[in-house]
């Protein structure tokens, strides 16, 4: 009887030991996974995390606009928008306040200072900039002593001298249609000019580069008016959405 009792106790003890070992192994496994996750998070750069958050924000904003749940034009009010005849479309189509559109036909980066008085009066928090078509046509990269990159930096710093607390959003050049570019080859230089714009933006702390070139799909997207240079009204929603996506 005693022997059976001892055997029974031994079996219970062994079972308890096995149970403890299994529990510890399971707990250790969960702990190891938790440590591995934390270590992986530590390795992530702040820039990578911010990029993921920006992508999520962009997707949510784009979805809301596409579903008609959000009017992107209502999200911008304290701004000015520098540019050429392409930018003029924002007020020609009654999309944004005409008083805040600092644009004219044939305008280039050289025309920034033409709007100094209005800039000082409005004192905006956000400055949008989009030139390029006329700049390439006028060969400003060779015309200006410091090249197109140098000119862009000078003009952005000029703006910041007047509105030092403003944030600048510098748009890349959107290409023309292939048919138009074939007729005027200088418009094919947009990638080179965009590279210089991006470098200029990186050199100005208050500047954020907005790459909208992809919206044109190499000039093949259905975004143009009949001339292959200017844009149809519907495109301005996508363009402004891309800018708003970059705003804090």
């Amino acid at each position: 009887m005693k022997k059976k009792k001892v055997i029974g106790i031994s079996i219970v003890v062994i079972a308890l030991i096995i149970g403890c070992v299994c529990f510890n192994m399971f707990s250790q496994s969960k702990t190891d996974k938790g440590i591995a996750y934390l270590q992986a998070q530590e390795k992530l750069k702040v820039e990578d995390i911010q990029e993921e958050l920006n992508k999520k924000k962009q997707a949510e904003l784009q979805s809301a606009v596409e579903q008609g749940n959000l009017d992107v034009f209502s999200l911008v009010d304290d701004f000015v928008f520098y540019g050429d005849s392409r930018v003029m479309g924002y007020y020609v189509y009654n999309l944004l306040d005409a008083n805040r559109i600092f644009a004219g036909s044939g305008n280039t980066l050289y025309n920034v200072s033409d709007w100094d008085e209005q800039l000082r009066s409005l004192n905006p928090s956000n400055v949008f900039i989009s030139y390029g078509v006329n700049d390439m046509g006028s060969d400003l990269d060779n015309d200006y002593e410091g090249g197109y990159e140098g000119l862009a930096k000078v003009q952005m710093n000029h703006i910041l001298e007047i509105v030092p607390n403003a944030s600048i959003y510098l748009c890349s050049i959107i290409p023309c249609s292939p048919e138009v570019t074939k007729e005027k080859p200088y418009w094919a230089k947009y990638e080179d000019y965009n590279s210089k714009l991006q470098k200029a933006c990186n050199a100005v702390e208050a500047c954020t580069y907005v790459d909208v070139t992809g919206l044109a799909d190499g000039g093949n997207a259905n975004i143009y008016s009949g001339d292959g240079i200017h844009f149809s009204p519907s495109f301005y929603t996508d363009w402004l959405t891309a800018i708003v996506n970059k705003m804090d």
Side-chain angles (χ1 to χ4, degrees):
M1 185 73 178
K2 270 187 175 181
K3 190 173 181 181
K4 288 182 179 180
K5 189 174 181 180
V6 170
I7 293 172
I9 292 171
S10 298
I11 292 172
V12 172
V13 171
I14 292 170
L16 287 171
I17 292 171
I18 292 173
C20 289
V21 170
C22 290
F23 177 77
N24 287 335
M25 289 176 65
F26 177 73
S27 298
Q28 186 61 42
S29 176
K30 288 182 70 177
T31 301
D32 290 344
K33 288 181 179 178
I35 292 172
Y37 173 79
L38 292 174
Q39 289 175 337
Q41 293 303 303
E42 288 176 356
K43 290 179 181 179
L44 287 175
K45 294 181 179 179
V46 174
E47 292 84 356
D48 294 333
I49 296 173
Q50 187 62 51
E51 184 178 354
E52 287 301 315
L53 291 174
N54 286 340
K55 285 181 180 178
K56 183 177 179 181
K57 173 188 170 185
Q58 291 169 13
E60 291 174 349
L61 179 60
Q62 188 68 41
S63 176
V65 171
E66 289 175 354
Q67 293 174 18
N69 297 325
L70 180 65
D71 176 14
V72 70
F73 299 100
S74 68
L75 299 179
V76 294
D77 52 10
D78 187 14
F79 76 97
V80 296
F81 204 144
Y82 287 86
D84 48 32
S85 54
R86 286 174 156 186
V87 172
M88 287 171 64
Y90 278 105
Y91 75 76
V92 170
Y93 297 127
N94 295 314
L95 301 172
L96 293 174
D97 182 358
N99 293 319
R100 294 181 176 273
I101 304 299
F102 295 175
S105 296
N107 277 190
T108 70
L109 271 172
Y110 278 143
N111 293 103
V112 164
S113 59
D114 295 349
W115 305 92
D116 286 357
E117 185 178 340
Q118 293 92 322
L119 179 65
R120 191 172 287 107
S121 175
L122 290 171
N123 190 29
S125 297
N126 301 298
V127 175
F128 309 149
I129 303 175
S130 179
Y131 291 102
V133 173
N134 302 307
D135 304 57
M136 291 185 290
S138 299
D139 195 22
L140 294 194
D141 192 36
N142 289 315
D143 183 68
Y144 187 73
E145 186 176 347
Y148 198 57
E149 178 185 344
L151 176 60
K153 283 191 288 188
V154 166
Q155 298 297 58
M156 285 190 286
N157 284 322
H158 174 76
I159 289 170
L160 292 171
E161 286 176 4
I162 299 172
V163 285
N165 297 318
S167 296
I168 294 177
Y169 298 89
L170 179 64
C171 293
S172 64
I173 301 170
I174 302 171
C176 299
S177 69
E179 295 78 14
V180 172
T181 302
K182 187 176 180 180
E183 293 177 10
K184 298 182 178 180
Y186 48 75
W187 280 341
K189 298 178 181 179
Y190 69 90
E191 290 182 336
D192 181 46
Y193 271 66
N194 281 339
S195 175
K196 292 178 168 76
L197 285 176
Q198 188 164 16
K199 289 178 181 177
C201 189
N202 290 341
V204 177
E205 187 175 353
C207 179
T208 297
Y209 186 68
V210 184
D211 189 352
V212 288
T213 306
L215 296 176
D217 189 23
N220 297 303
N222 185 28
I223 63 174
Y224 301 98
S225 60
D227 64 3
I229 302 170
H230 300 92
F231 307 124
S232 59
S234 60
F235 175 70
Y236 286 87
T237 299
D238 293 335
W239 186 0
L240 189 63
T241 299
I243 296 172
V244 171
N245 273 331
K246 288 290 188 177
M247 297 172 68
D248 296 331

